[in-house]
Amino acid sequence: MKLDDLRKQIDEVNWQILKLLKKRFDIAKKIANAKNEIGFPIEDKRRESEMLSNLIRQGEDLKLSSTFISRLFKFIINESKRIQKNNI
């Protein structure tokens, strides 16, 4: 396979990642509204911990580093919380 073809594949995967992040952050806004309606705080450390544990376990099946998964999703979770806080 040629380098240009591989780069096109990377570009397509990057685009898919961006679309998924946009979808995730749109859902985070809806979660902020739902939490606000029922009086729940934006941060839920127990939920975050559960989610990270599940993602790390799933990542192991894909042979991905738990450190990588933890860093990546902590960033995504923090960005989601920032979006939620700005949404209410």
Side-chain angles (χ1 to χ4, degrees):
M1 193 168 275
K2 292 185 178 186
L3 181 59
D4 287 343
D5 293 334
L6 294 169
R7 286 179 173 164
K8 285 178 185 175
Q9 287 180 31
I10 288 289
D11 291 343
E12 178 57 32
V13 170
N14 288 340
W15 176 239
Q16 291 173 19
I17 291 169
L18 286 174
K19 289 191 299 187
L20 288 171
L21 284 171
K22 169 78 169 93
K23 182 177 181 176
R24 189 190 199 287
F25 296 146
D26 288 345
I27 294 168
K29 290 176 187 177
K30 292 176 184 177
I31 289 172
N33 292 332
K35 286 179 176 179
N36 190 41
E37 286 178 13
I38 58 176
F40 277 24
I42 293 299
E43 290 200 42
D44 183 347
K45 295 292 186 187
R46 183 190 57 77
R47 166 73 175 135
E48 292 172 27
S49 180
E50 275 179 16
M51 189 173 17
L52 279 173
S53 293
N54 288 336
L55 288 163
I56 288 169
R57 199 169 29 259
Q58 291 168 336
E60 288 172 353
D61 293 341
L62 300 172
K63 306 290 190 247
L64 293 172
S65 158
S66 61
T67 302
F68 165 75
I69 292 169
S70 181
R71 283 194 323 242
L72 174 64
F73 279 94
K74 281 181 182 178
F75 177 83
I76 291 170
I77 289 166
N78 287 333
E79 186 62 16
S80 292
K81 287 190 290 192
R82 186 191 66 74
I83 287 168
Q84 288 182 23
K85 287 175 185 175
N86 290 334
N87 196 55
I88 56 175

